[in-house]
């Protein structure tokens, strides 16, 4: 019996037959993520295919599943809801895809924290925290992503203007699983938890998390429009400086805005700005819009409305643009004041260049899109961005690029056989990437 077949038999006993599958359709679904957002990665697909999928239903069973896979020496690719955009959840070495989305227990709510298993969606955590007078520090633009997937693959999101990135005091403690034949939950707190964040499960799989909460604020969703994108850009940094700090500020030129889902708050032919603001700053925000020559289209409230606004921020405008113009556009993640101060030059880096911009802690960030012709042309734009003072991140690759040396050092101890998400970790990147500094 092969290692995969033996593992499948053991997991059916451990998890129940309904939580293990070798069905072709299930394997296909478990072998893709949002990597089609990158035309460079799209040209390389398929990158790998699962041989087995398992859905452990608790943190303890995640650990038991990893232990079984290690005993049979089967590669393990952890997966949340598969909303990542760059191939990090694709099983490049085949083997087992460990889907955490059925481990959905909310273990404990406390004052300033919640303890949840890896498969709980961020939107659910936010809803339940709100009902208790609290809120998460941030959640991803794909708000239905699981907490395990967000911690393992995300960087920031709605709330980052105030709180920065995920590795900055978001996770108070983690229960992680190392790739050992007797694997159990390993509890790490504070600074010891941080090395497991944003490394795609290559040094340990997150099974349970204790994340920080804060008192609930009275959020309002503001939709504004402008005759020109430059007018919208002029308020990005002033909006970020409002007090209390906004949770989200996004803006798009008319072409990008026109690709977003139809909404009365986003009128055709005009640049769009959307912001999630504390009610106490709403009057000042309206004044900024009007002073810049814009107009307020509408104001919304309620948790569900805020989550919906998040879903048209960060990468999502690019996804909607690609749906409107299939096969035409790519994007690069960018950052820096030049996005505002030198917008014409920034958009000229790539043919058909358009910028989606976000307010962020310290400096604006964004997604620079252009018309795709080749990977080489994408990479050649990096030097021009550097000359303009624009930080960039090469999002057309699946390798760990946040402290890869530290992750590799940790993995030598936690994954001695190299079974955790093979193909995603190497110390010397073979594709150029620059930090968004």
């Amino acid at each position: 019996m092969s290692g995969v077949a033996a593992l499948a038999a053991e997991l059916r006993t451990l998890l129940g037959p309904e939580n293990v599958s070798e069905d072709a359709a299930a394997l296909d679904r478990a072998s893709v993520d949002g990597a089609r957002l990158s035309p460079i990665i799209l040209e390389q697909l398929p990158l790998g295919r699962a041989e087995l999928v398992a859905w452990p239903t608790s943190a303890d069973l995640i650990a038991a599943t990893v232990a079984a896979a290690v005993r049979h020496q089967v590669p393990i690719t952890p997966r949340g809801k598969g909303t990542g955009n760059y191939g990090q959840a694709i099983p490049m070495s085949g083997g087992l895809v460990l889907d955490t989305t059925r481990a959905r227990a909310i273990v404990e709510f406390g004052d300033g924290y919640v303890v949840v298993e890896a498969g709980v969606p961020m939107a659910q955590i936010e809803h339940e925290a709100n009902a208790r007078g609290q809120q998460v520090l941030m959640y991803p633009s794909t708000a239905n992503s699981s907490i395990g997937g967000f911690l393992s693959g995300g960087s920031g999101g709605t709330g980052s203007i105030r709180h920065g990135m995920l590795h900055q005091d978001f996770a108070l403690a983690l229960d992680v699983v190392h790739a050992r034949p007797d694997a159990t939950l390993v509890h790490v707190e504070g600074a010891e938890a941080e090395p497991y964040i944003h490394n795609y499960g290559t040094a340990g799989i997150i099974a349970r998390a204790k994340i920080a909460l804060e008192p609930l604020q009275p959020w309002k969703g503001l939709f504004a429009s402008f005759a020109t994108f430059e007018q919208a850009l002029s308020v990005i940094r002033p909006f970020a400086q409002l007090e209390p700090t906004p949770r989200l500020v996004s803006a798009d030129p008319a072409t990008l805005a026109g690709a977003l889902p139809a909404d009365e708050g986003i009128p055709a032919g005009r640049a769009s700005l959307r912001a999630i603001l504390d009610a106490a700053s709403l009057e000042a925000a309206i004044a900024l819009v009007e002073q810049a020559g814009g107009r307020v289209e509408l104001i919304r409230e309620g948790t569900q409305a805020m989550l919906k606004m998040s879903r048209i921020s960060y990468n999502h405008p690019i996804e909607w643009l690609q749906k409107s113009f299939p096969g035409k556009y790519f994007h690069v993640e960018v950052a820096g004041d030049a996005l505002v101060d030198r917008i014409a030059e920034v958009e000229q880096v790539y043919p058909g260049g358009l910028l989606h911009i976000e307010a962020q802690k310290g400096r604006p960030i964004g997604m620079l899109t252009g018309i795709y012709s080749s990977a080489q042309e994408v990479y050649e734009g990096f030097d021009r961005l550097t000359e303009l003072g624009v930080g960039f991140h090469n999002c057309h690759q699946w390798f760990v690029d946040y402290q890869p040396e530290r992750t590799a050092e940790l993995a030598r101890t936690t994954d001695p056989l190299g079974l955790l998400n093979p193909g995603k970790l190497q110390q010397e990147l073979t594709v150029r990437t620059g930090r968004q500094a």
Side-chain angles (χ1 to χ4, degrees):
M1 184 181 293
S2 72
V4 171
L7 175 61
E10 181 173 345
L11 292 181
R12 286 191 180 94
T13 299
L14 175 68
L15 306 177
E18 70 279 8
N19 291 312
V20 182
S21 181
E22 296 174 275
D23 176 75
L27 298 180
D28 288 341
R29 287 193 298 271
S31 300
V32 297
D33 61 7
R36 291 179 179 275
L37 185 65
S38 164
I40 295 175
I41 298 178
L42 179 61
E43 293 170 349
Q44 302 174 68
L45 295 178
L47 294 171
R49 187 173 186 266
E51 298 168 85
L52 179 67
V53 187
W55 294 268
T57 56
S58 70
D60 288 327
L61 286 174
I62 291 174
T65 300
V66 171
V70 174
R71 289 194 297 271
H72 293 286
Q73 297 191 22
V74 173
I76 309 155
T77 301
R79 178 182 177 91
K81 299 200 74 171
T83 60
N85 294 128
Y86 310 114
Q88 291 90 351
I90 294 177
M92 293 185 176
S93 296
L96 171 70
V97 167
L98 194 162
D99 187 315
T100 63
T101 55
R102 296 182 188 175
R104 294 185 61 161
I106 296 180
V107 179
E108 179 185 4
F109 265 101
D111 185 12
Y113 70 90
V114 62
V115 180
V116 293
E117 291 186 332
V120 182
M122 289 300 303
Q124 180 183 350
I125 300 172
E126 175 70 355
H127 274 293
E128 299 206 20
N130 289 178
R132 293 166 172 83
Q134 300 188 80
Q135 63 190 31
V136 298
L137 303 191
M138 71 182 81
Y139 52 80
S141 53
T142 307
N144 206 41
S145 298
S146 65
I147 178 63
F150 184 37
L151 287 167
S152 298
S155 298
T158 300
S160 286
I161 302 174
R162 177 180 177 187
H163 293 294
M165 299 289 102
L166 273 178
H167 58 274
Q168 299 168 316
D169 303 318
F170 179 83
L172 304 176
L174 300 173
D175 290 330
V176 299
V177 184
H178 297 160
R180 300 187 178 281
D182 57 350
T184 58
L185 297 176
V186 178
H187 187 74
V188 289
E189 299 185 1
E192 292 185 350
E194 195 266 332
Y196 293 93
I197 294 172
H198 198 72
N199 68 20
Y200 318 138
T202 55
I205 295 173
I206 296 170
R208 187 186 293 133
K210 179 180 182 180
I211 63 170
L213 302 176
E214 61 187 355
L216 178 62
Q217 292 172 254
W219 296 114
K220 304 288 185 180
L222 179 145
F223 288 72
S225 73
F226 300 82
T228 70
F229 187 46
E230 288 73 17
Q231 290 172 317
L233 287 177
S234 73
V235 303
I236 289 292
R237 288 177 294 199
F239 260 64
Q241 295 164 6
L242 290 169
E243 292 290 343
T245 304
R247 217 172 189 193
L248 181 75
V249 183
S250 301
D252 295 285
T255 300
L256 268 171
L260 297 176
D263 190 303
E264 60 182 326
I266 307 175
R270 290 175 65 84
S272 171
L273 181 142
R274 290 91 56 200
I276 300 177
L277 306 165
D278 189 289
S281 67
L282 191 57
E283 184 176 340
I286 292 171
L288 286 171
V289 169
E290 293 175 346
Q291 289 165 11
R295 67 186 188 220
V296 173
E297 299 294 341
L298 55 82
I299 295 169
R300 293 188 174 128
E301 59 184 37
T303 302
Q304 196 58 38
M306 302 307 105
L307 292 169
K308 186 175 181 180
M309 289 182 70
S310 185
R311 295 186 185 107
I312 52 173
S313 65
Y314 291 91
N315 283 350
H316 288 260
I318 309 304
E319 292 185 271
W320 285 106
L321 185 70
Q322 290 181 336
K323 289 177 182 178
S324 296
F325 302 95
K328 185 172 182 178
Y329 287 100
F330 73 96
H331 79 287
V332 175
E333 298 174 8
V334 290
D337 287 320
L339 301 183
V340 174
D341 299 331
R342 306 180 72 173
I343 180 59
E345 295 167 277
V346 169
E347 290 188 328
Q348 289 170 5
V349 168
Y350 295 114
L354 298 166
L355 177 70
H356 165 77
I357 195 166
E358 299 273 344
Q360 186 57 276
K361 189 173 185 178
R363 77 282 190 262
I365 65 171
M367 309 294 160
L368 177 62
T369 187
I371 297 171
Y372 183 70
S373 61
S374 69
Q376 184 63 30
E377 186 173 46
V378 174
Y379 300 147
E380 287 174 352
F382 295 166
D383 287 334
R384 294 193 291 276
L385 290 170
T386 300
E387 291 168 2
L388 292 171
V390 175
F392 70 91
H393 175 240
N394 177 9
C395 48
H396 303 282
Q397 52 90 19
W398 47 81
F399 300 114
V400 173
D401 61 1
Y402 174 66
Q403 300 212 18
E405 297 86 359
R406 182 184 68 178
T407 303
E409 179 65 26
L410 178 60
R412 276 191 277 274
T413 299
T414 62
D415 181 26
L417 298 179
L419 295 176
L420 293 180
N421 209 354
K424 312 301 169 44
L425 178 60
Q426 57 184 51
Q427 286 185 257
E428 294 185 9
L429 295 179
T430 56
V431 289
R432 181 182 170 198
T433 189
R435 298 312 305 164
Q436 293 184 4

